[in-house]
Amino acid sequence: MRLLPVLLVLVAARPSACAESHWCYEIQAKHPNSACLGPSQWGGNCQKSRQSPINIVTPEAQIDPSLGSFSFSGYDKKRKWKVQNNGHSVMVLLEDEASVTGGGLAAQYRAKQLHLHWSERLDEGSEHTLNGVRYAMEMHIVHEKVKGTSRNEKQAQDPKDEIAVLAFFVEAGSEENHGFQPLVEALSYVPRPNMNTTMNDSISLFDLLPKKETLRHYFRYLGSLTTPGCDEKVVWTVFQEHIKLHKEQIAAFSKKLYYDSEQKLKMTDNVRPLQRQGQRLVYKSRAPGQLLPLPLPTLLVPTLTCLLAGFLA
């Protein structure tokens, strides 16, 4: 009978213990007295075979002619966006104000939020890597498929592309990025989890991105969310052109944000480790640096004809 009270205490304590074992990044899991689960222990779909992020090897990416230009709607609309520290990253709530079509996507996708991943070190903050190179940060603009806009019924029922993420590498530049500055300034007002603020100045999504004409060059593959439950329903677009921020702007994310309410652990290295690509193919919109609009033989024939005519004359 003495065992009964002990068992009741253990049963009562179990839910709270499970609640404390929430997911976190490796830097948090290694922190003294941490009870959270690092990336190797993430549950849900996180141990499946079509996970993200991956290393993109550019010479192995296959050109897909269907990956044309994107059509951006609402990306030019300036607003004082809401900003939130969600305990894992800083998030900008986009409130369905923008959407994207084209770019080989099977439907229209509405923008829900954007967030970033980063590190104090300028070569360890991106989740994806490009030919093994990791960058200072990575920005994700997360979109959801709009029902009724798929090109055909089969695509409408395809669960692999319910979410479209536009991903951008961020590297250190020599000048301040004025488009990003309202977001950088907002960080001071959301240091702790679950804090919210509104930007002091209005910006558009285009203010955060590289020049529009560079957005034709990108890589495409099917993967997952990079946070639990790691649902494998994401069509990824990773752009070749990088965003450039001054190193002080990059450093602000690690200096001003914290994972915990006590502000003991700086929010940095919020990066999921690379996942196996497996049998998945990575596609590219066109050959990087390709300047010739026509096949080389087509261009050479008239040139050789002229040269031959001149020689015979």
Side-chain angles (χ1 to χ4, degrees):
M1 293 298 294
R2 292 180 181 179
L3 289 175
L4 183 60
V6 176
L7 291 173
L8 290 174
V9 169
L10 289 174
V11 170
R14 186 177 178 182
S16 61
C18 291
E20 291 176 3
S21 298
H22 58 280
W23 73 270
C24 64
Y25 291 103
E26 193 64 35
I27 190 173
Q28 297 169 271
K30 291 181 178 179
H31 196 261
N33 302 319
S34 171
C36 65
L37 302 177
S40 63
Q41 297 177 294
W42 289 356
N45 297 302
C46 299
Q47 307 303 320
K48 289 189 174 181
S49 60
R50 204 174 70 241
Q51 292 291 295
S52 299
I54 62 172
N55 175 44
I56 296 173
V57 182
T58 58
E60 296 179 3
Q62 298 185 15
I63 297 176
D64 184 345
S66 71
L67 299 182
S69 299
F70 286 95
S71 178
F72 299 96
S73 176
Y75 267 62
D76 57 348
K77 185 174 183 178
K78 291 184 179 289
R79 286 204 45 186
K80 294 181 179 179
W81 303 101
K82 294 180 181 178
V83 180
Q84 178 186 91
N85 179 335
N86 66 4
H88 305 289
S89 178
V90 62
M91 182 182 294
V92 179
L93 307 179
L94 301 177
E95 301 176 358
D96 295 343
E97 293 285 351
S99 63
V100 64
T101 56
L105 297 176
Q108 179 186 13
Y109 288 80
R110 187 164 289 130
K112 294 295 183 178
Q113 50 96 349
L114 71 81
H115 62 272
L116 296 103
H117 302 266
W118 62 86
S119 173
E120 290 181 296
R121 293 166 293 279
L122 297 180
D123 60 351
E124 294 190 21
S126 66
E127 292 205 301
H128 289 86
T129 58
L130 201 59
N131 299 320
V133 176
R134 199 178 293 276
Y135 295 89
M137 307 180 77
E138 185 171 329
M139 184 174 78
H140 295 161
I141 308 179
V142 182
H143 304 70
E144 287 185 1
K145 184 190 286 186
V146 179
K147 293 182 178 179
T149 63
S150 296
R151 297 173 190 168
N152 57 55
E153 185 176 348
K154 181 179 179 181
Q155 289 172 329
Q157 297 174 348
D158 191 346
K160 296 192 295 294
D161 65 351
E162 291 180 11
I163 294 175
V165 179
L166 306 186
F168 298 84
F169 294 116
V170 181
E171 63 182 355
S174 58
E175 299 178 358
E176 180 181 282
N177 185 320
H178 298 294
F180 251 85
Q181 193 56 24
L183 173 55
V184 174
E185 292 174 356
L187 302 179
S188 298
Y189 301 96
V190 290
R192 298 182 296 278
N194 302 315
M195 295 186 73
N196 299 270
T197 190
T198 302
M199 294 181 187
N200 288 328
D201 298 307
S202 297
I203 59 171
S204 71
L205 286 176
F206 276 146
D207 288 331
L208 302 175
L209 304 185
K211 293 181 179 179
K212 188 176 179 181
E213 56 267 23
T214 69
L215 302 182
R216 297 173 300 156
H217 307 288
Y218 57 88
F219 301 93
R220 168 68 48 77
Y221 79 99
L222 293 176
S224 73
L225 299 173
T226 63
T227 57
C230 308
D231 293 341
E232 294 182 337
K233 59 181 181 181
V234 181
V235 51
W236 280 93
T237 303
V238 181
F239 287 90
Q240 181 177 309
E241 188 70 15
H242 303 162
I243 297 169
K244 291 186 178 181
L245 301 185
H246 191 275
K247 63 180 181 180
E248 291 302 322
Q249 290 181 299
I250 295 172
F253 287 80
S254 295
K255 290 179 179 178
K256 296 182 178 181
L257 300 174
Y258 292 84
Y259 284 118
D260 59 314
S261 300
E262 295 78 23
Q263 296 187 206
K264 293 181 178 179
L265 183 59
K266 290 181 179 180
M267 185 178 286
T268 190
D269 295 307
N270 52 351
V271 176
R272 187 187 189 189
L274 289 174
Q275 304 297 300
R276 294 184 299 274
Q277 179 178 334
Q279 300 301 312
R280 286 176 291 173
L281 295 177
V282 176
Y283 299 94
K284 55 187 173 183
S285 56
R286 59 181 293 182
Q290 183 179 348
L291 297 176
L292 302 177
L294 296 172
L296 188 58
T298 305
L299 294 173
L300 285 179
V301 168
T303 303
L304 292 174
T305 303
C306 290
L307 288 173
L308 184 59
F311 177 77
L312 293 175

